[in-house]
Amino acid sequence: FNNCFDNWFFLSNSQPTESGRVWVCWNSETCAVKLCSMSNHHIFCEVLLHATKASIFATFVYADNKHTVRKTFFERMVHISHVKSNSPCVFLGDFKAIRYRQENIGGSSVWANDNEEFITCINSADLTDLSYGGCQFTWANKRADGDYNATKIDRVLVNEDWLVKYPESSASFLPSGISDHSPAVVNINET
C-alpha cells in the first residue's frame, strides 16, 4: 500500500475473524477522514474537503450476499441517514439488491422480497440515486456462454441536503477491470 499511495491513509473494516470487505483510501493533501462507525458491511465517516473546508458524510458499502444479514445493514443505513439528515450524505458501493426490474439481465427474473426491502430502505432513509452515467449494469459474472448475468447492484445514493449543496454533482460508473464490479467516481462540481 505504501509503495503505491505515498501520503495516503486508509481505513478498513477488517476484524480478527474476517478479512476487510471495505477499504477507504484518501490523499491527505486533499481531504481528512474521520471514522464515525463501521461494521462488516460499511464504513461511515466524515470527510473534510481541504479546498472548501466543507464536510460531507460518506458511507462506503459492501453488503452481504445473505438477505437476512443485509436487512440489518439496511436498517443501520436508515438510522445514519436520519441522524445526518441536515448534512450532505452519500451512500455508495455494492448494495446486493436492485431497485427496478430492468436493472437485471440474465439470471433469475423472479422479483425477490429483498429488492422490495431495499426500495423501502431507500424511501425510509429519504435517499435518491445521484445522477449518473457510464455503465448501466455495474456487476457482471463475465461469462461468455449462455449463463451471462448483469445487474445494477452498485449505486451512489444521496440525501436532500447533498442535492442542495451539490446540485451539479454526478456519478460515473466506469468499465470493470480486474473486478467484476464497475468503479464509481463521484464528481461534486462545487460552484
Side-chain angles (χ1 to χ4, degrees):
F1 182 86
N2 290 337
N3 291 337
C4 296
F5 300 105
D6 191 32
N7 294 325
W8 285 54
F9 294 89
F10 70 93
L11 292 171
S12 169
N13 66 346
S14 293
Q15 298 177 15
T17 59
E18 290 189 39
S19 60
R21 296 165 52 94
V22 180
W23 287 69
V24 177
C25 308
W26 68 95
N27 183 332
S28 61
E29 294 175 7
T30 60
C31 65
V33 175
K34 176 184 165 191
L35 176 65
C36 297
S37 70
M38 73 170 65
S39 74
N40 289 346
H41 314 284
H42 81 287
I43 294 178
F44 169 50
C45 46
E46 181 178 10
V47 180
L48 172 64
L49 307 171
H50 294 322
T52 61
K53 306 295 186 222
S55 282
I56 61 171
F57 289 90
T59 303
F60 299 91
V61 178
Y62 189 79
D64 198 277
N65 284 324
K66 294 179 186 170
H67 165 249
T68 53
V69 177
R70 191 168 55 241
K71 184 178 177 179
T72 301
F73 166 69
F74 289 165
E75 292 166 358
R76 178 76 179 141
M77 193 168 99
V78 171
H79 173 76
I80 290 170
S81 180
H82 288 171
V83 168
K84 296 299 180 188
S85 63
N86 293 323
S87 300
C89 283
V90 60
F91 295 78
L92 63 162
D94 178 0
F95 292 89
K96 298 281 192 298
I98 61 174
R99 287 186 76 175
Y100 308 105
R101 291 183 189 272
Q102 65 269 26
E103 293 180 340
N104 181 46
I105 59 171
S108 174
S109 61
V110 175
W111 187 251
N113 286 339
D114 54 324
N115 293 325
E116 291 295 336
E117 288 175 355
F118 183 51
I119 294 166
T120 299
C121 166
I122 291 170
N123 292 337
S124 297
D126 295 320
L127 299 173
T128 189
D129 279 292
L130 184 61
S131 174
Y132 69 92
C135 298
Q136 177 182 358
F137 300 105
T138 61
W139 174 88
N141 62 6
K142 295 191 173 188
R143 294 184 185 157
D145 59 11
D147 292 332
Y148 180 77
N149 185 17
T151 62
K152 179 167 178 48
I153 56 176
D154 301 275
R155 323 192 83 80
V156 177
L157 300 167
V158 296
N159 66 358
E160 182 67 27
D161 203 69
W162 177 284
L163 294 172
V164 168
K165 177 111 176 158
Y166 306 110
E168 300 298 317
S169 63
S170 64
S172 181
F173 289 94
L174 307 177
S176 63
I178 59 171
S179 173
D180 51 3
H181 290 266
S182 297
V185 177
V186 176
N187 187 351
I188 293 177
N189 286 331
E190 251 188 317
T191 54

